[in-house]
Amino acid sequence: MTDSTPRRARVRAPELIGKGGWLNTGGTQYTLAELRGRIVVLDFWTFCCVNCLHVLDELRELERKHPDTVVVVGVHSPKFVHEAEHQAVVDAVERYGVEHPVLDDPELATWKQYAVRAWPTLVVIDPEGYVVAQHAGEGHVHAIERLVAELEAEHAAKGTLRRGDGPHVPPEPEPTTLRFPGKALLLPSGNLLVSDTTRHRLVELAEDGETVVRRIGSGVRGFSDGGPEEASFNEPQGLVLLADGTAVVVADTVNHALRRLDLGTGEVTTLAGTGRQWWQGSPTSGPARETDLSSPWDVAVFDGRVWIAMAGVHQLWTYDPVAGTVAVAAGTTNEGLVDGPAAEAWFAQPSGLAATADRLWLADSETSALRWVDLDGRVHTAVGTGLFDFGHRDGPADQALLQHPLGVTALPDGSVAVADTYNHALRRYDPATGEVTTLATDLREPSDAVLVGEDIVVVESARHRLTRLRLPEEAVRVESVAHRTRRAATEVAPGTLRLDVIFQAPAGQKLDTRYGPSTRLLVSSTPPELLLKGDGADTDLTRELELNPAVTEGVLHVSAMAASCDDDPANAYPACHVHQQDWGVPVRLAEGAADRLPLVLAGMDEQ
């Protein structure tokens, strides 16, 4: 008799440790032993990361299908200093509708135990407490679901599967008018329209910013057109008034769509997007209703078109309301800070837009940067240096620091106000002087601001309200603080470094080679001088890099993609999937350190 049990590499799962404790469990603090008998999926995430938010949405279906065998545990592993604050994690868990236990790990203790190198990373632990799979990036839940079915059958036969209710205990809802509002818009009537993001609707407020005039949307997560009570949204964010003043374009973020609100009737229709998330290989232009989008976060009218901050793919797109088409306008989908011609620029989760006659300003959140696009399509950076430098520092723009800004507002004097979200501040950049100042502090996660007469109304997202401020004649003085990412640098040897991106096609699938190579690897570095050899794009997932011994530390930027399809010769139309992840790996050169850098895209590193 042969044993048909699949053979897998199995490593004992390290304990789950987090100084912040457990959320969404009713106060219970769990150990792995108490979860024994269940299939545990660890989701290493941080709430600034749009790819992590995509994975939260992917996991919802897995949790729904396997409620009595699968326990998803979010391990919150901060990038920014603000994300290490416990209350900020509590807020994020509610803001994004997380319906599973979350371990708050502000010191990255569990991240280090599991040798995680990227947000998001998913780790599967079998009912006996062994790690059986690891996946970095998005688009892996289909593979995990197949593995879950195998593990259910295997451990049911062994008697090691324990079914039952999960450990999730939802918090009590709080009765506030708004809940984690995202963006605001001044209407021609003088009222304010607010995206009530966590409640999946829009709210029109009177001029006082408090009195509710009407609500638009059912308040339930969904994607349907109709009147103000029938229509549904999914975490809407950005808002912009169309030229004739009768309608508003809404960035319906988690529906990957643009919606249109008729201000007269309250009717909601869909302008762009299919409801599906854009993936590498999808069309980058075409009829708006037939083209996939990816987490549109804000919208602005500039140079005759509606520009879209496409946070999910680190690009700017445009919507042409006359032709009814969408197209990429700037960005390569690589994550980082690179200026220049639109087609060559790199962005990192653009999340806020504001237009003037000759500039489109944008808050590029993951690089903690303020940037702008000119009428010729060139991209410029006013404030910010890259993915790993952030803080609160005023002064000359080339020295100033922000921390994950989500909003930007053009001011009448040609300067711009920045909703400096993780610094809880409103900042100002003046192009005439090149100076950055602080306008206001003690704002809780401000995500947008709108001019109303001589005042500026700030969306205080984590205080669930709009706050009216008088624009100060003098800026607030704050003590300068600079930060680097909380991730420890990986020590590597100078000279030759072997980069291995590990990808194992999920069970029942094979690499998709029908149209040429099924893998792609792009490597670069900050500073560029760190890499003497090995940068650029190729199809092999293994590459020999040459590190410059004169550069003692820096960041390796690695972007990998692999395509796999169902391995069934009888199926003429196999289901295919794209697996993709971007890593920014801080490295420090040290004699005698490792000469190999493994990055797991999918599978296990068995070397």
Side-chain angles (χ1 to χ4, degrees), residues 1-19:
M1 179 176 176
T2 59
D3 182 3
S4 61
T5 302
R7 293 183 60 82
R8 301 186 194 91
R10 298 205 312 168
V11 178
R12 176 65 72 179
E15 189 51 83
L16 304 179
I17 304 166
K19 192 174 181 180

Side-chain angles (χ1 to χ4, degrees), residues 302-303 341-342 358 373-379:
F302 177 63
D303 197 24
D358 60 353
V373 183
D374 63 27
L375 289 169
D376 294 327
R378 291 190 67 86
V379 178

Side-chain angles (χ1 to χ4, degrees), residues 220-516:
V220 177
R221 194 186 290 270
F223 188 12
S224 56
D225 291 343
E229 295 180 358
E230 297 81 33
S232 56
F233 299 92
N234 197 343
E235 299 185 25
Q237 288 281 351
L239 308 164
V240 70
L241 196 67
L242 286 175
D244 63 5
T246 64
V248 171
V249 178
V250 182
D252 194 5
T253 304
V254 180
N255 277 330
H256 310 296
L258 298 186
R259 315 292 291 281
R260 180 186 186 274
L261 167 66
D262 186 300
L263 288 174
T265 65
E267 188 84 8
V268 176
T269 53
T270 299
L271 293 175
T274 62
R276 297 184 301 269
Q277 183 183 336
W278 187 96
W279 287 96
Q280 291 289 348
S282 302
T284 54
S285 63
R289 290 291 305 272
E290 300 171 19
T291 305
D292 298 342
L293 308 179
S294 182
S295 296
W297 210 275
D298 203 5
V299 279
V301 175
F302 177 63
D303 197 24
R305 293 169 292 170
V306 176
W307 287 65
I308 310 163
M310 203 73 79
V313 285
H314 317 300
Q315 289 180 313
L316 302 178
W317 286 44
T318 56
Y319 165 69
D320 185 331
V322 176
T325 56
V326 291
V328 173
T332 64
T333 76
N334 294 315
E335 184 179 15
L337 193 153
V338 177
D339 290 340
E344 300 171 14
W346 291 23
F347 301 97
Q349 219 168 294
S351 302
L353 298 175
T356 64
D358 60 353
R359 291 187 182 188
L360 178 71
W361 293 97
L362 66 117
D364 205 25
S365 61
E366 280 294 293
T367 51
S368 297
L370 172 66
R371 306 176 72 185
W372 53 281
V373 183
D374 63 27
L375 289 169
D376 294 327
R378 291 190 67 86
V379 178
H380 311 260
T381 297
V383 183
T385 58
L387 287 164
F388 300 102
D389 295 292
F390 52 91
H392 193 151
R393 181 195 287 155
D394 288 337
D398 61 353
Q399 300 292 318
L401 293 171
L402 309 169
Q403 187 180 178
H404 197 81
L406 290 179
V408 60
T409 307
L411 301 179
D413 64 356
S415 66
V416 290
V418 179
D420 193 5
T421 309
Y422 288 3
N423 279 328
H424 310 300
L426 189 68
R427 311 286 292 284
R428 175 178 179 263
Y429 168 69
D430 185 353
T433 64
E435 292 285 316
V436 175
T437 52
T438 298
L439 296 175
T441 57
D442 191 33
L443 299 165
R444 188 70 185 168
E445 291 193 19
S447 54
D448 195 21
V450 59
L451 278 174
V452 180
E454 295 183 356
D455 297 337
I456 190 163
V457 175
V458 180
V459 180
E460 274 199 276
S461 189
R463 283 199 178 113
H464 320 292
R465 70 187 188 192
L466 304 186
T467 297
R468 187 181 295 261
L469 304 172
R470 180 58 50 91
L471 275 173
E473 293 181 12
E474 291 188 14
V476 177
R477 296 187 182 277
V478 297
E479 183 178 346
S480 294
V481 180
H483 299 293
R484 293 278 292 171
T485 178
R486 299 177 66 87
R487 292 173 60 189
T490 298
E491 289 200 344
V492 294
T496 302
L497 176 71
R498 177 177 161 179
L499 172 65
D500 284 336
V501 174
I502 291 101
F503 177 76
Q504 297 159 3
Q509 295 192 358
K510 64 179 180 179
L511 288 173
D512 179 15
T513 56
R514 293 171 299 165
Y515 307 109

